[in-house]
Amino acid sequence: MRPSRRPAALAATVTAFLVLALSPASAAAACEGATRSFDTAGSRMLVRATLCVLNAKRGRHNLGPLRLNSRLSTAARGHSRAMVRQHFFSHDSLDGTSFDERIRRSGYLDGASSWAVGENIAWGSGRLSTPRSIASAWMHSPGHRANILSRTFRAIGIGIANGTPSGDSGATYTTDFGRRG
């Protein structure tokens, strides 16, 4: 991806419930809470574990860590909650708002002369709702993997909602990636 004044993002979706968790146990071992779900951990722990797992994957590819950004997290959290509450699964909200517009509304892009954003979404139930499982599903999807391993992105917002778009128990994840110039 190249930095630009317009979104330089890969918009892709994945349904984690269809992908087996194939991630090495070492990522989970190094990241507290990586194998936990909403049943056994709160959203704060799951967000920290997700960040840890994603940064461990970046580290294996000699990439710097992503920094958690509160504005990107606000956009991501709101979208995950909306998908659960309104029973949909898409980068676009039911009102047609795109992920880059949600990020713009969060204030993350205020004053930026150039920027790039991307978004990954996923949901899972049971053992497929853990940070490790979700990250593994994303790494097995070319578009999601590209966002995670992009040299362009420096910041991330992570939003995890209790529940799934289908109404089942589990978790719904949104990660919003960004870089401002």
Side-chain angles (χ1 to χ4, degrees):
M1 294 184 187
R2 296 175 194 244
S4 69
R5 291 179 182 248
R6 56 192 165 81
L10 295 171
T13 59
V14 67
T15 50
F17 64 94
L18 294 176
V19 180
L20 293 176
L22 301 173
S23 179
S26 62
C31 299
E32 181 185 357
T35 59
R36 300 190 58 190
S37 65
F38 256 105
D39 296 338
T40 61
S43 62
R44 273 197 148 139
M45 175 179 274
L46 296 178
V47 166
R48 284 193 307 267
T50 301
L51 179 63
C52 180
V53 170
L54 294 179
N55 279 335
K57 292 183 182 306
R58 287 176 61 88
R60 284 188 217 118
H61 290 86
N62 297 317
L63 298 169
L66 296 165
R67 290 179 314 277
L68 199 59
N69 179 279
S70 63
R71 290 181 176 176
L72 288 174
S73 290
T74 296
R77 189 172 39 255
H79 191 57
S80 288
R81 289 176 179 168
M83 287 190 290
V84 170
R85 187 176 51 254
Q86 298 172 355
H87 305 290
F88 74 97
F89 185 71
S90 173
H91 290 283
D92 292 334
S93 298
L94 288 182
D95 67 3
T97 304
S98 64
F99 77 90
D100 54 314
E101 183 57 29
R102 284 193 310 276
I103 291 170
R104 182 179 300 284
R105 288 178 185 172
S106 77
Y108 177 73
L109 300 176
D110 290 353
S113 60
S114 65
W115 52 273
V117 294
E119 179 172 85
N120 288 354
I121 60 176
W123 65 271
S125 297
R127 68 179 180 82
L128 297 180
S129 68
T130 68
R132 182 176 113 189
S133 294
I134 295 297
S136 177
W138 282 332
M139 290 301 286
H140 286 89
S141 164
H144 296 91
R145 180 183 177 92
N147 278 343
I148 293 166
L149 299 180
S150 173
R151 292 186 184 281
T152 300
F153 298 133
R154 302 279 189 257
I156 189 171
I158 302 172
I160 307 171
N162 191 4
T164 69
S166 68
D168 295 329
S169 64
T172 300
Y173 288 67
T174 301
T175 51
D176 286 334
F177 301 87
R179 186 213 37 85
R180 298 169 23 96

